[in-house]
Amino acid sequence: MILSLLSSRNTTRSHSIKHYLETVNPYLTIVHPELFALRTNNTGFDSIADQELYDPATALLVVCMHFFSHKDDSAKSMSTKGEESVNTPTYRAAKQILSILRTLDTPSIELIQCSLLLAFYEYSHEDLGRAYVSIGDANTMALILHVGPGKYLEAELEASIPYEEEERRCVYWSLFVLDRLIQTDYSLLHMPHQIPPPVVSPPAADDLLPTNHLLWYDEDQSPYYVTQRCPADTAFSVQEGQ
């Protein structure tokens, strides 16, 4: 039922997933690619099956991933000024479903991710008020689940990182970055007294940045990846991995 929302937009779930995962920025990696594949028993997304998205929150997440990476090409979604409106039927349905799931279920990473993706969609349509509310909702769930970036330990600089740990770090940084983007736009578009306070707490100096997966070459010029963690106070002038 939830995935039928994508059918109304003339797209397929596998295309939405693949397109999203190909366009995300490390600081806005709201959905962890490897964990999403494991949770849906899928590695390629080319022929994802209905039974692999039996969980309502996961199904809604696919719809929200589509919002993040696509523009609605329906003429009905165009405003009188020729600009795309945020109030499409699919968007309203997704918001209603998220509200129902928030009421019936306990907070989960998937619901946080849905709220974050919808917040980004709202922000990209300059609906800062709705985006601010969505970020607040996502942050409330994140606080309940103790989602955070984790702490930098030099001994773990190149240690193997569990997917679940990296996912929580990705969610935190996505929350923080989008929250500050909304704040910046409010400061440009509104009077200072109308700017709402930041929602997400800033990182401490020893909090971890999103993990770097650096491409290196051995003596035989064979490529391999090195995983590296860096603290939030890493100077921008320092090239990580050097």
Side-chain angles (χ1 to χ4, degrees):
M1 174 182 165
I2 295 176
L3 290 174
S4 65
L5 295 175
L6 290 181
S7 300
S8 67
R9 295 170 69 95
N10 298 317
T11 189
T12 61
R13 67 203 66 168
S14 59
H15 181 267
S16 295
I17 295 169
K18 184 177 180 181
H19 190 75
Y20 168 82
L21 295 177
E22 288 177 347
T23 56
V24 292
N25 180 280
Y27 283 82
L28 280 172
T29 309
I30 300 170
V31 180
H32 192 280
E34 289 82 6
L35 262 182
F36 185 84
L38 290 172
R39 288 169 179 163
T40 57
N41 299 316
N42 195 289
T43 56
F45 305 122
D46 292 328
S47 58
I48 193 165
D50 290 336
Q51 62 267 25
E52 292 166 350
L53 295 177
Y54 65 90
D55 177 61
T58 304
L60 181 60
L61 184 58
V62 172
V63 175
C64 294
M65 290 163 74
H66 175 85
F67 283 131
F68 186 94
S69 54
H70 288 263
K71 292 288 186 180
D72 187 1
D73 57 1
S74 172
K76 296 180 181 179
S77 70
M78 304 299 285
S79 68
T80 56
K81 295 182 180 180
E83 299 173 347
E84 184 185 353
S85 170
V86 70
N87 284 309
T88 63
T90 306
Y91 162 78
R92 292 197 299 270
K95 290 283 284 189
Q96 291 170 353
I97 293 170
L98 176 60
S99 178
I100 293 171
L101 293 178
R102 286 278 285 107
T103 302
L104 298 178
D105 295 339
T106 57
S108 67
I109 287 292
E110 289 80 8
L111 291 180
I112 296 173
Q113 291 167 331
C114 288
S115 192
L116 257 173
L117 289 166
L118 286 171
F120 190 91
Y121 178 75
E122 293 156 350
Y123 169 77
S124 68
H125 287 75
E126 299 182 1
D127 196 332
L128 301 182
R130 288 186 187 179
Y132 182 78
V133 172
S134 295
I135 280 289
D137 185 49
N139 189 60
T140 298
M141 290 188 283
L143 290 173
I144 293 173
L145 295 180
H146 303 288
V147 172
K151 293 297 182 181
Y152 171 76
L153 296 173
E154 188 172 355
E156 298 179 355
L157 179 62
E158 297 182 4
S160 177
I161 302 171
Y163 286 155
E164 290 79 5
E165 177 188 330
E166 182 60 21
E167 178 182 52
R168 296 169 78 87
R169 181 157 41 255
C170 290
V171 168
Y172 167 79
W173 280 104
S174 298
L175 276 166
F176 176 74
V177 170
L178 187 51
D179 181 43
R180 294 314 189 263
L181 286 174
I182 294 171
Q183 289 289 308
T184 300
D185 275 23
Y186 255 113
S187 67
L188 295 174
L189 299 175
H190 300 280
M191 297 296 290
H193 67 276
Q194 294 178 311
I195 303 173
V199 172
V200 184
S201 299
D206 61 343
D207 281 345
L208 285 165
L209 292 170
T211 304
N212 283 315
H213 300 281
L214 305 172
L215 180 62
W216 293 82
Y217 293 87
D218 59 21
E219 295 179 354
D220 298 325
Q221 295 301 305
S222 298
Y224 67 97
Y225 281 95
V226 173
T227 299
Q228 190 174 77
R229 311 181 189 209
C230 295
D233 63 353
T234 300
F236 286 109
S237 60
V238 176
Q239 292 188 4
E240 298 165 7
Q242 298 297 319

